[in-house]
Amino acid sequence: MHSDMPKTINEALKILAYNDYFWVNSSMLGNIGVIKPHPKDYETVRSLAESQYPWTEKQARLALVILKRYLTKFQANGMDIKKLLDKPKYDDEFRVISFDKLIEKYVDEDNVTKIEMRFPYNKKVIQLIRCMKDRRDLPGMYAVYDGEKKKWTFLHTDVTAYYLTLIAVRYDFKFTDDSLLNDYEQIKKEIAGHRKPTASLIAGEIVLRDAAESLQDYWQQNMKNKSALEQVDSLKNFYISTTHIDVPAQTMIGKKIAHNNYHKLWIDSKAFNKKEVVKGLIELNCFPLIMPVSGDIHMEDDVKNFWEWMNAFKDNGIDILNECSWGFDVKEPIYKKDIDRHNSDRTYLLDNQKSEEFFENLYELHQMSKQFKLINNETKIIFVRNRIPRALIKSKIKPKASLVALGGGYYATGTDNLKRLLENLPKKLYYSDHQPSSWDWHDHIIIKL
């Protein structure tokens, strides 16, 4: 137990946070203490004690209230802090959060033009900033957040100047001068002067018309050498219509996906089998492909469905051992008669009447999920369940599509980060016997292929 009397509220709170004796229910020790600690108090106290920044006045008041609540605990252990609570002292001056919303264009010491936004936490503004980053595919260094100073810093480009000005005007930010507003007006005139880009098929390849120079350069560098079908398929990513364009394809799936203007498509499992789907994905080069798994894999139908997909991959030349990556573990199956020899928290208990074939199939999935987690340039299939695999984040590989087919094929479970990743992929495909609804993330409609 701490022997010195605390001189500040901060010190007293740390004593409360880091001495387990305070959090023991008195009745458990055989006495009749009236103070019974609450778990939520413990979480709050630890959070205040471990704060990296000086407290705000509101946080200081909260700390004082909690310490008064546990005063008898201190006194019972020879530490009477009542005088400190009556005349509280703190380690630092209170931190003041500025509620001003400010946007500024400036040139830094390296002569780089940047835009700075300062504002208190606003969920909607942050969502709009992230939407701009994701939808306009800005590189990571284009936007930097400083948590201590509560500010965003962006490189000044036509995209950032245009959209950040729109956000700032909409949410009543203060402008330090007219430079950003002038930039916005100039960019707006340039946008109005551009026609909407279109595409046409000429001599077996896609040619863009009225497209910005940057888009033409990207097309020449990244799409020129791809097949005409892949070129058509990519048009939807640039919001260019595929109407009146007809490119032959080897597979019906490939043709239908490529010539569809929508990103979210439903493939009817009653009309196309799994091998046909995989052939179409190969023709469109949709790899790496993410396959979300809804729920655990342990029911006979789940295992059968999973192996049908694995065999479809294998029959189309995909190495299911070296080109598939697992972002989660399948629990080890054991029969109930063998439960005493295993940790049941990490296993599935199978009815003793289950067939040996089913057991072997599930056990092989368990083994693969434990062993094959590497993601590299050779990876074609990435199985995920509740979160984005750390291996995928480290690899910096960008998946090209997702196929929601395992666990029903109607929706993808998981964290908001995983759903956001799937939502922002060039294609999101659903494979099931009934058309899924659009309620799972955004209101974007899911179109039948």
Side-chain angles (χ1 to χ4, degrees):
M1 179 56 63
H2 201 287
S3 58
D4 297 328
M5 290 292 289
K7 297 179 177 59
T8 64
I9 297 296
N10 303 69
E11 291 182 14
L13 193 84
K14 288 179 180 179
I15 293 173
L16 180 60
Y18 301 126
N19 284 275
D20 293 339
Y21 192 85
F22 281 101
W23 305 101
V24 177
N25 190 331
S26 300
S27 61
M28 295 172 59
L29 300 177
N31 53 44
I32 54 172
V34 295
I35 301 297
K36 296 183 178 180
H38 195 284
K40 289 186 177 179
D41 282 349
Y42 182 70
E43 295 173 6
T44 304
V45 168
R46 287 298 293 262
S47 176
L48 288 170
E50 295 172 359
S51 175
Q52 299 178 10
Y53 310 112
W55 289 343
T56 63
E57 187 175 359
K58 185 177 180 180
Q59 288 174 315
R61 287 200 304 267
L62 177 60
L64 188 61
V65 168
I66 292 176
L67 286 172
K68 287 181 178 179
R69 187 181 304 161
Y70 288 87
L71 173 60
T72 56
K73 285 272 190 177
F74 279 89
Q75 292 172 334
N77 290 279
M79 303 181 71
D80 191 349
I81 61 171
K82 190 174 187 311
K83 290 183 179 180
L84 176 61
L85 298 182
D86 291 338
K87 296 182 178 181
K89 296 180 181 180
Y90 299 91
D91 286 350
D92 307 288
E93 293 184 4
F94 297 147
R95 178 165 54 94
V96 178
I97 299 176
S98 172
F99 287 91
D100 290 333
K101 293 178 288 187
L102 183 71
I103 186 168
E104 177 183 12
K105 175 184 174 181
Y106 70 98
V107 178
D108 68 8
E109 61 273 10
D110 297 321
N111 203 31
V112 178
T113 304
K114 294 183 177 181
I115 301 171
E116 181 176 292
M117 293 184 78
R118 294 175 179 267
F119 57 94
Y121 177 79
N122 185 308
K123 183 178 180 179
K124 186 62 178 179
V125 173
I126 293 173
Q127 285 178 336
L128 289 172
I129 290 174
R130 288 174 175 166
C131 181
M132 178 192 70
K133 289 171 54 186
D134 296 340
R135 293 301 176 90
R136 297 301 165 186
D137 207 20
L138 296 181
M141 71 289 294
Y142 270 51
V144 178
Y145 177 64
D146 186 331
E148 184 173 356
K149 297 181 180 179
K150 307 293 183 186
K151 69 176 183 179
W152 286 84
T153 304
F154 305 84
L155 288 180
H156 181 283
T157 66
D158 286 354
V159 171
T160 56
Y162 184 83
Y163 286 100
L164 292 176
T165 301
L166 282 177
I167 294 171
V169 171
R170 171 65 179 82
Y171 288 92
D172 298 323
F173 278 69
K174 294 179 181 178
F175 290 80
T176 57
D177 55 42
D178 293 336
S179 58
L180 266 177
L181 293 170
N182 293 336
D183 290 345
Y184 171 81
E185 290 297 333
Q186 182 62 36
I187 297 167
K188 186 177 179 181
K189 290 178 182 178
E190 294 177 1
I191 293 174
H194 288 300
R195 294 182 179 180
K196 189 175 182 179
T198 60
S200 56
L201 183 64
I202 299 178
E205 68 178 48
I206 299 300
V207 176
L208 303 183
R209 300 184 185 278
D210 300 322
E213 184 178 349
S214 57
L215 177 54
Q216 292 283 12
D217 290 342
Y218 177 87
W219 192 268
Q220 290 294 324
Q221 295 174 19
N222 298 280
M223 303 304 302
K224 185 74 172 177
N225 296 324
K226 295 185 180 296
S227 69
L229 191 68
E230 289 179 69
Q231 291 178 355
V232 172
D233 184 44
S234 69
L235 291 177
K236 62 174 68 70
N237 301 325
F238 305 103
Y239 302 98
I240 300 175
S241 174
T242 61
T243 306
H244 307 305
I245 298 177
D246 188 6
V247 174
Q250 297 177 359
T251 65
M252 183 60 70
I253 289 283
K255 185 177 180 67
K256 283 180 169 289
I257 292 176
H259 289 82
N260 200 300
N261 289 319
Y262 288 89
H263 294 76
K264 300 176 73 172
L265 302 170
W266 168 54
I267 304 172
D268 189 351
S269 61
K270 297 190 294 291
F272 299 96
N273 62 43
K274 296 178 177 64
K275 290 183 181 180
E276 291 174 316
V277 173
V278 175
K279 285 181 180 179
L281 296 176
I282 290 175
E283 185 175 21
L284 293 175
N285 189 25
C286 293
F287 303 99
L289 174 76
I290 286 186
M291 290 196 72
V293 179
S294 299
D296 293 329
I297 305 169
H298 66 286
M299 303 295 289
E300 290 187 77
D301 287 344
D302 295 335
V303 175
K304 179 183 177 184
N305 186 38
F306 212 113
W307 272 108
E308 286 176 354
W309 280 110
M310 299 296 270
N311 290 327
F313 295 142
K314 188 162 53 175
D315 292 344
N316 282 282
I318 296 176
D319 187 340
I320 63 173
L321 298 182
N322 297 312
E323 294 179 334
C324 292
S325 175
W326 294 75
F328 66 97
D329 292 341
V330 175
K331 292 182 181 179
E332 180 184 359
I334 62 170
Y335 287 111
K336 290 182 178 179
K337 61 185 179 182
D338 299 324
I339 186 173
D340 293 338
R341 296 180 301 181
H342 294 79
N343 181 348
S344 59
D345 291 337
R346 297 174 178 269
T347 57
Y348 289 125
L349 299 181
L350 301 184
D351 188 276
N352 296 335
Q353 304 304 315
K354 295 294 184 184
S355 69
E356 187 69 21
E357 180 184 4
F358 168 65
F359 177 88
E360 292 295 336
N361 286 339
L362 181 54
Y363 187 80
E364 190 166 352
L365 291 177
H366 157 70
Q367 290 283 54
M368 287 191 291
S369 72
K370 298 287 286 185
Q371 297 179 38
F372 303 110
K373 296 185 179 296
L374 176 67
I375 296 178
N376 55 29
N377 292 329
E378 303 301 319
T379 303
K380 287 188 169 58
I381 313 295
I382 303 169
F383 298 113
V384 301
R385 187 162 63 190
N386 295 324
R387 60 182 179 81
I388 302 174
R390 188 172 300 176
L392 177 58
I393 298 173
K394 289 183 177 180
S395 71
K396 298 183 179 180
I397 288 174
K398 291 186 176 181
K400 296 181 180 178
S402 69
L403 176 60
V404 182
L406 294 166
Y410 300 105
Y411 64 96
T413 58
T415 62
D416 284 351
N417 286 337
L418 176 57
K419 290 181 179 180
R420 190 177 292 112
L421 169 65
L422 299 178
E423 192 68 31
N424 290 323
L425 292 177
K427 279 184 288 295
K428 189 173 182 182
L429 308 175
Y430 296 79
Y431 182 83
S432 58
D433 56 1
H434 289 85
Q435 186 166 1
S437 62
S438 303
W439 60 267
D440 62 331
W441 185 238
H442 290 301
D443 292 328
H444 300 167
I445 191 168
I446 300 173
I447 299 297
K448 182 178 181 180
L449 190 64

